[in-house]
Amino acid sequence: MEQLQQGSDVFFLLMGAILVFAMHGGFAFLEVGTVRHFSQVNALVKIMVDFAISTVAYFFIGFWISYGITFLVSASALTGGAEGFGPQGLTLVKFFFLCTFAAAIPAIVSGGIAERARFVPQCAATALLVGFAYPLIEGTVWNNNFGLQDTLFESMLGANFHDFAGSIVVHAFGGWAALGAILRLGPRRGRYDHPGVSGTPPSSIPWLAMGSWMLCIGWFGFNVMSAQSVAAISGLVAMNSLMAMAGGILAALIVGRNDPGFVHNGALAGLVAVCAGSDVMHPVGSLVTGAIAGFIFVQFFQLATQRWKIDDVLGVWPLHGLCGLWGGLACGIFGTEALGGIGGVTFASQFVGSLLGSAYGLVAGLIVYTLVDLIFGFRMSDEEQRRGADLTIHNISANPELDVRTGRI
């Protein structure tokens, strides 16, 4: 029976890892549908290459920083023959699962800096974020590194900072790091040259919608399987994720006046926000959390891109940064017993932890992308942007046969 339980945990976590891995296809197609046609190939290549770089950086450095475990031992030790490694390769599938979370950081950033970022600097930044910056917050929150959960949150604020599936650790960190990259990079060529210009149209609503659907489906692995064992599974997490998604969709539909881009991102906004408290909230609280997240995304995307002139192509700062921040706070509101939640959380702890995590993401993003800019030069030239990232970086477009026939290449 013990071996069956161990094998069940390995299989459970492996299925979770595969579901979250599939979400990276969602990141890719969401960006493909949102960017202009001459940047679609670049969007696809970036997400795949970023995942590979993230895997290597997290394998050699990041996982060790977060959890103190190195994989530079024998294969027999890796599969449970040494201290720190679970039986039947449990620690290995845990790495795979958490690696897909880590790789979400550059995938989030990718959408914000699309169409004007050079490729090599972005790859270097991915290695720095996933290898060094992200593991520090991951280990602090999920492994009690540095003792902050005990000394700051538990002792002074009444409860550990609670982030079940990463509203702050993954999404807020990634969204605020993306803002640092966006501010360093500046807007695309011609984006704000003419007063009254509100934006550039997406290249494909169907591809955008496909990306959103892939992310929504994979998110149930992201949230539910954050339990990391069969014994800890809770149907409440699935229900709360579903209700938050619905709330985000409906709010974005109303506030965004039926805009399909807002509707499909509204689903993601709700799911981002519910990650932190999906295991402690009541479904009604999750519905409200998701609805507020949908409102936040639409309103702040418009404010950022139109009034504040922040050229965030996919709206990753409002979607992940702000909705993730809201999710951390919402856990401290709707997770309390007074509002139907399971309890074990305090608003003070969630408030401080959410602000600290978001601020750390912004500082990390500014440092990392300033560094790669100084070393490599981060921004494509105006002529390279005019030609498009596909031809400039990859020497091929999304429809090469058509380009050959028309003489474009």
Side-chain angles (χ1 to χ4, degrees), residues 220 224 227 230 232-242 278-279 281 283:
F220 288 86
V224 175
V230 174
I233 295 173
S234 172
L236 181 64
V237 178
M239 175 63 82
N240 283 337
S241 301
L242 185 65
S278 57
D279 62 328
M281 291 181 181

Side-chain angles (χ1 to χ4, degrees), residues 140 144-155 160 356:
T140 297
N144 197 23
N145 293 354
F146 311 112
L148 286 180
Q149 287 282 30
D150 295 332
T151 58
L152 174 60
F153 295 104
E154 179 72 30
S155 299
N160 282 348
L356 286 176

Side-chain angles (χ1 to χ4, degrees), residues 262-289:
F262 286 144
V263 169
H264 286 91
N265 278 283
L268 309 181
L271 287 163
V272 164
V274 81
C275 285
S278 57
D279 62 328
V280 295
M281 291 181 181
H282 188 278
V284 175
S286 295
L287 178 65
V288 175
T289 296

Side-chain angles (χ1 to χ4, degrees), residues 159-210:
N160 282 348
F161 175 65
H162 189 86
D163 189 4
F164 180 69
S167 285
I168 299 299
V169 173
V170 178
H171 296 288
F173 174 81
W176 285 89
L179 178 62
I182 292 164
L183 295 176
R184 180 68 190 186
L185 193 58
R188 286 167 288 178
R189 166 187 171 273
R191 176 67 173 85
Y192 297 115
D193 288 354
H194 305 288
V197 175
S198 60
T200 55
S203 58
S204 173
I205 296 298
W207 282 127
L208 184 158
M210 174 62 78

Side-chain angles (χ1 to χ4, degrees), residues 9-292:
D9 287 343
V10 170
F11 184 73
F12 171 75
L13 204 50
L14 177 61
M15 291 300 100
I18 291 170
L19 278 170
V20 185
F21 178 42
M23 290 176 69
H24 288 265
F27 280 120
F29 286 113
L30 188 71
E31 185 171 337
V32 165
T34 306
V35 298
R36 289 172 287 184
H37 193 271
F38 59 26
S39 294
Q40 289 183 322
V41 172
N42 182 241
L44 294 169
V45 173
K46 282 191 301 179
I47 300 300
M48 180 163 281
V49 172
D50 277 345
F51 190 90
I53 293 171
S54 297
T55 299
V56 174
Y58 196 62
F59 179 85
F60 285 105
I61 304 171
F63 196 80
W64 172 73
I65 292 176
S66 293
Y67 302 102
I69 295 174
T70 177
F71 296 107
L72 301 180
V73 295
S74 70
S76 60
L78 293 176
T79 55
E83 183 179 354
F85 292 97
Q88 297 180 241
L90 179 61
T91 304
L92 305 185
V93 292
K94 179 181 179 181
F95 164 81
F96 184 13
F97 182 67
L98 293 173
C99 178
T100 60
F101 280 55
I105 304 302
I108 291 169
V109 176
S110 175
I113 62 176
E115 300 196 352
R116 77 274 201 199
R118 295 178 63 220
F119 191 63
V120 171
Q122 182 176 335
C123 291
T126 293
L128 292 173
L129 282 174
V130 177
F132 297 97
Y134 169 74
L136 291 176
I137 186 173
E138 178 191 24
T140 297
V141 176
W142 287 341
N143 199 47
N144 197 23
N145 293 354
F146 311 112
L148 286 180
Q149 287 282 30
D150 295 332
T151 58
L152 174 60
F153 295 104
E154 179 72 30
S155 299
M156 299 177 62
L157 301 173
N160 282 348
F161 175 65
H162 189 86
D163 189 4
F164 180 69
S167 285
I168 299 299
V169 173
V170 178
H171 296 288
F173 174 81
W176 285 89
L179 178 62
I182 292 164
L183 295 176
R184 180 68 190 186
L185 193 58
R188 286 167 288 178
R189 166 187 171 273
R191 176 67 173 85
Y192 297 115
D193 288 354
H194 305 288
V197 175
S198 60
T200 55
S203 58
S204 173
I205 296 298
W207 282 127
L208 184 158
M210 174 62 78
S212 176
W213 274 106
M214 291 179 69
L215 285 163
C216 287
I217 293 167
W219 222 294
F220 288 86
F222 196 100
N223 283 2
V224 175
M225 292 172 174
S226 284
Q228 297 193 28
S229 71
V230 174
I233 295 173
S234 172
L236 181 64
V237 178
M239 175 63 82
N240 283 337
S241 301
L242 185 65
M243 296 301 286
M245 182 187 74
I249 292 170
L250 295 175
L253 174 70
I254 296 168
V255 180
R257 300 179 181 180
N258 306 325
D259 182 281
F262 286 144
V263 169
H264 286 91
N265 278 283
L268 309 181
L271 287 163
V272 164
V274 81
C275 285
S278 57
D279 62 328
V280 295
M281 291 181 181
H282 188 278
V284 175
S286 295
L287 178 65
V288 175
T289 296
I292 293 174

